[in-house]
Amino acid sequence: MTMTPEALTEALPLPAQSVYQNRIADYWNAEENPVNLELGRIDDLYHHHYGVGDADRSVLDEPDPELRKERITTELHRLEHAQAELLASRLGPLTPSDRVFDAGCGRGGGSVTANLRYGCHADGVTISAKQAAFANEQARKRGIGDKVRYHHRNMLDTGLETGAYAASWNNESSMYVELDLLFAEHARVLRRGGRYVVITGCYNDTYGQASREVSLINAHYICDIHPRSRYFRAMADNRLVPVHVEDLTATAIPYWELRRQADHLVTGIEDTFLTAYKNGSFQYLMIVADRV
């Protein structure tokens, strides 16, 4: 019997959410942003995050307007997939029998990336029913629906099995929730010695309070960017011990410089990100931690 994408999301009662979380769910259920969809259509890997690495700026020199759009879109997707691969590389070593948890999975690209790298089982969680159904359909089309599943649930209260996961992560989704509640759930589902990775934008405490640019980013994405120090305090309080910290800010700038010139994809927030990164008030950080 063929299961519909809706059935694959395991239609359990969604745990109680705040009014704010309901607003976020409404936003993502309605979202059809080309910067997410056009990039994903290239290889059916749909990411909801930004890119890292040196950009091939020669794509901007393409004289044919339509081919220029295509080449820029492809290059932006290459950069965002490089970010997903960077995160996935920090989850291992994993085996095909291991289970991983993708918190705030969006349209599912991160879970697929982990499965392709390790052959592992993956459970993605999103508060958007539309995203969960879309991601399950993509996994079905790839023939990995038996190992990669997406659930319409709250990442703060997933209902996933305690201590069953070898690795878990948040990829640009931690700014939508309270960190103590988030890390408590990761610590619960991870086995002892399990690996947690977060890649996130955070504001730089040494700068002072959140800058004007950070406030504009919050308003644009309806999020609440946390200070850098808050991540480490919340991890310490929830049995997550950092083993690697990497400032990705400099490697994120080429993505934004290229995207700023992609007229078919710009959202109006590009210059704000670049200003915040360059004035030091905002950082793009990866933290790798072990569950003790």
Side-chain angles (χ1 to χ4, degrees):
M1 181 176 67
T2 300
M3 300 291 287
T4 65
E6 289 77 11
L8 288 170
T9 63
E10 297 184 12
L12 303 174
L14 194 63
Q17 295 176 170
S18 65
V19 172
Y20 167 73
Q21 285 178 306
N22 288 333
R23 185 183 177 199
I24 297 302
D26 290 342
Y27 173 87
W28 287 112
N29 282 329
E31 183 267 342
E32 294 286 343
N33 196 323
V35 80
N36 293 321
L37 295 174
E38 293 301 320
L39 274 62
R41 289 191 184 107
I42 291 172
D43 56 6
D44 288 331
L45 276 171
Y46 291 83
H47 300 298
H48 280 274
H49 54 74
Y50 311 125
V52 295
D54 292 331
D56 178 5
R57 298 182 63 84
S58 70
V59 299
L60 298 171
D61 300 327
E62 173 58 52
D64 181 88
E66 290 305 313
L67 185 55
R68 184 177 188 270
K69 287 182 182 179
E70 180 182 329
R71 291 185 63 192
I72 291 173
T73 302
T74 300
E75 180 63 4
L76 288 171
H77 183 60
R78 185 187 69 82
L79 293 170
E80 70 169 359
H81 188 66
Q83 192 262 38
E85 289 284 4
L86 174 64
L87 189 154
S89 72
R90 294 294 181 173
L91 299 174
L94 297 172
T95 70
S97 62
D98 283 326
R99 298 168 67 184
V100 299
F101 165 43
D102 182 356
C105 62
R107 288 185 171 91
S111 293
V112 175
T113 300
N115 170 265
L116 292 175
R117 175 180 282 263
Y118 300 107
C120 57
H121 297 260
D123 285 289
V125 166
T126 171
I127 58 173
S128 165
K130 181 179 178 180
Q131 287 184 341
F134 181 94
N136 275 314
E137 177 63 12
Q138 292 299 309
R140 184 194 66 78
K141 288 180 178 178
R142 283 181 174 272
I144 58 174
D146 59 328
K147 299 198 77 169
V148 179
R149 300 190 304 166
Y150 301 93
H151 313 272
H152 177 214
R153 301 185 190 177
N154 187 336
M155 66 176 161
L156 301 181
D157 185 11
T158 64
L160 298 176
E161 185 180 352
T162 298
Y165 291 81
S168 65
W169 68 90
N170 284 92
N171 197 349
E172 292 185 25
S173 56
S174 58
M175 65 286 293
Y176 288 102
V177 293
E178 296 176 52
L179 291 182
D180 279 309
L181 298 177
L182 175 65
F183 293 157
E185 183 66 354
H186 281 285
R188 184 188 70 79
V189 302
L190 282 170
R191 68 193 185 197
R192 183 182 289 272
R195 173 64 53 83
Y196 172 71
V197 182
V198 59
I199 294 182
T200 187
C202 54
Y203 76 78
N204 184 356
D205 303 63
T206 63
Y207 185 92
Q209 295 299 311
S211 67
R212 175 180 179 273
E213 290 78 22
V214 169
S215 297
L216 289 172
I217 295 169
N218 279 336
H220 185 87
Y221 289 108
I222 324 175
C223 63
D224 186 14
I225 293 166
H226 303 291
R228 180 179 60 187
S229 63
R230 187 76 193 108
Y231 281 89
F232 297 99
R233 288 200 300 269
M235 284 184 179
D237 290 342
N238 289 283
R239 306 184 67 173
L240 296 171
V241 178
V243 295
H244 177 80
V245 179
E246 189 169 348
D247 185 350
L248 301 174
T249 306
T251 66
I253 288 174
Y255 167 91
W256 286 100
E257 289 179 334
L258 181 60
R259 180 168 142 180
R260 179 175 58 180
Q261 299 186 69
D263 295 340
H264 60 302
L265 297 173
V266 293
T267 63
I269 200 65
E270 289 78 13
D271 284 333
T272 302
F273 267 87
L274 286 168
T275 299
Y277 281 148
K278 291 177 180 180
N279 71 20
S281 66
F282 188 55
Q283 292 178 299
Y284 199 50
L285 204 66
M286 177 170 66
I287 307 172
V288 182
D290 286 342
R291 196 277 198 193
V292 298

